Amino acid sequence: MENIQKLINGESFLKITRENETYLPKETTKISSMTISIYGTGLIEFIPDNHNDKSTILSCAIHGNETAPIEICDELITNIINGKQDLKCPTLFIFGNPKAMNIGKRFIDFNLNRLFTGNHKNIDDCYETERAIELEAVVEEFFSKYNYSFKRHYDLHTAIKPSKHEKFAIYPYCPDREKSIEQMNTMEALDANIILFSTSKATTFSYHTSSIYNSHSFTVELGKVHPFGKNPQESFIRTRESLSQLLSDQLIVSHELHENVVKYQVQLSLIKNSEKFAFHFPETTENFTLFKADELVYFDGEKDCTLGEDLRIVFPNQNVVIGQRAALFVKQEN
Ligand SMILES: [Zn+2]
């Protein structure tokens, strides 16, 4: 049976993706009020007959073990197909790393979220470089077909670390564009009221779509990693509800910045440059933990280092490969 027919019969896109981790044939079907297209494993597009001009990409599983956003997207897909979810936007869903998803790992060979904006060309061929090429191509096709002035891409993640702020969003570096208050308020509506402003170019998926397509893009962190079926459902109620309203074009956000929004600027992106690199704090340190200016924070391979100003840490990972980011240090803006 063709896969879209399986979806119509009630099978989940997550199940079909997991059962076809290497290949899913392209397929397009017109149903009552929309056109459904599968572009490959983990790639499905919905175009309502009467759609608005808000091209929307929701991606998840760029890191395979980050299951909560996968379950949220899968539920939205199921509800679009069975008619429970009203859809107004041309929408592309992406399950980024199906092979890693199937073994409950962050990635197979290489961190996929360091391979966009063409950085896959600089890395030896592997599963994730192939996947980055495939994802870049499907995004290019989607944003070319639905090339409206309003584009958005929310790349949904969960974090490895516990965090003082459970949910937060990263606003990619876009020096030539004004930051969108409506978009920050949308993040607030998704429950990610903490916004981190990136201050440099990146090779992440959200930076890719933001820098190439002028899309309103965010990396959205929705909490902590749990296995499939073990996610605390109650902590995603507002996120689910707002994503649902966004797809049915009923999410109303103000033009004035919401009072709950807290802004952080990235002050330092710490790169690991030595095998001897090590942090001076335990693995259990939470995201957004504050370090004092004169506190010893890390050993750079030659000497112990302080930050020189009070900063909070996000995404510490001393096990990254040399040349990759070991941590971000951020400072509250307002
Ligand atoms: Zn992630």
Side-chain angles (χ1 to χ4, degrees):
M1 197 196 303
E2 289 186 349
N3 288 303
I4 293 176
Q5 191 56 49
K6 286 187 190 168
L7 291 170
I8 293 166
N9 293 351
E11 213 163 287
S12 82
F13 189 61
L14 175 57
K15 180 163 180 274
I16 291 173
T17 298
R18 297 189 72 178
E19 286 172 357
N20 299 274
E21 62 170 29
T22 47
Y23 174 73
L24 198 61
K26 285 190 183 182
E27 201 184 313
T28 293
T29 298
K30 172 88 182 69
I31 61 168
S32 59
S33 58
M34 71 178 102
T35 304
I36 307 175
S37 301
I38 290 176
Y39 288 111
T41 294
L43 308 170
I44 189 164
E45 177 195 86
F46 298 93
I47 309 299
D49 293 346
N50 298 308
H51 60 78
N52 63 16
D53 53 3
K54 297 175 181 175
S55 307
T56 301
I57 299 178
L58 293 179
S59 57
C60 61
I62 292 300
H63 296 129
N65 59 343
E66 298 176 359
T67 57
I70 304 173
E71 291 175 349
I72 291 171
C73 287
D74 190 50
E75 183 183 70
L76 288 168
I77 292 169
T78 299
N79 288 344
I80 289 169
I81 293 169
N82 67 23
K84 284 186 196 159
Q85 170 69 48
D86 186 25
L87 182 69
K88 290 282 190 291
C89 333
T91 303
L92 173 67
F93 286 93
I94 295 175
F95 292 180
N97 196 331
K99 276 196 182 178
M101 215 158 85
N102 270 346
I103 57 165
K105 288 271 157 55
R106 191 169 165 78
F107 52 82
I108 302 287
D109 298 309
F110 202 91
N111 182 352
L112 179 55
N113 215 19
R114 299 289 175 274
L115 293 176
F116 292 96
T117 58
N119 196 40
H120 49 78
K121 294 189 205 100
N122 305 322
I123 308 295
D124 289 343
D125 289 351
C126 66
Y127 173 64
E128 277 84 10
T129 58
E130 275 172 33
R131 198 64 186 157
I133 292 167
E134 195 177 3
L135 300 193
E136 286 189 359
V138 79
V139 165
E140 166 70 22
E141 195 177 331
F142 179 74
F143 276 154
S144 307
K145 271 188 299 187
Y146 305 100
N147 190 14
Y148 304 120
S149 60
F150 183 95
K151 302 183 184 76
R152 64 186 155 198
H153 169 211
Y154 303 151
D155 184 31
L156 310 175
H157 290 250
T158 46
I160 321 168
K161 291 271 161 199
S163 180
K164 290 189 185 303
H165 299 303
E166 192 190 56
K167 297 186 176 63
F168 56 96
I170 300 165
Y171 207 132
Y173 180 58
C174 51
D176 305 330
R177 278 186 289 154
E178 209 172 305
K179 304 281 185 299
S180 162
I181 288 172
E182 288 89 342
Q183 286 296 307
M184 291 184 224
N185 290 342
T186 302
M187 290 301 112
E188 194 283 328
L190 297 183
D191 235 5
N193 62 309
I194 310 293
I195 316 265
L196 246 73
F197 293 92
S198 177
T199 46
S200 58
K201 294 179 177 181
T203 50
T204 59
F205 202 12
S206 63
Y207 180 78
H208 178 88
T209 51
S210 169
S211 62
I212 297 177
Y213 304 101
N214 283 332
S215 150
H216 294 292
S217 303
F218 289 87
T219 304
V220 191
E221 295 286 347
L222 293 174
K224 205 175 167 316
V225 165
H226 294 283
F228 279 119
K230 296 275 190 293
N231 288 295
Q233 297 304 316
E234 65 285 357
S235 82
F236 301 106
I237 292 170
R238 194 157 169 250
T239 309
R240 282 173 196 270
E241 214 172 81
S242 295
L243 282 173
S244 167
Q245 289 173 352
L246 184 137
L247 293 179
S248 60
D249 211 9
Q250 287 172 329
L251 185 70
I252 311 288
V253 292
S254 165
H255 303 293
E256 305 286 331
L257 189 65
H258 196 290
E259 58 181 14
N260 288 352
V261 171
V262 181
K263 300 177 183 176
Y264 285 92
Q265 285 281 347
V266 174
Q267 297 294 111
L268 168 66
S269 180
L270 180 63
I271 305 298
K272 173 175 173 175
N273 283 319
S274 161
E275 276 305 340
K276 292 184 201 151
F277 178 96
F279 288 131
H280 283 308
F281 51 84
E283 286 252 358
T284 50
T285 300
E286 294 181 320
N287 277 331
F288 293 95
T289 296
L290 180 68
F291 289 93
K292 292 287 181 191
D294 56 357
E295 207 172 326
L296 288 182
V297 178
Y298 63 98
F299 177 70
D300 71 359
E302 288 175 3
K303 59 185 185 312
D304 289 321
C305 301
T306 59
L307 300 173
E309 61 178 322
D310 293 2
L311 296 174
R312 291 180 187 274
I313 196 163
V314 187
F315 302 131
N317 184 356
Q318 64 186 10
N319 301 321
V320 295
V321 296
I322 289 186
Q324 281 192 11
R325 184 190 77 199
L328 288 177
F329 291 92
V330 303
K331 193 175 184 174
Q332 192 170 333
E333 202 184 84
N334 54 342

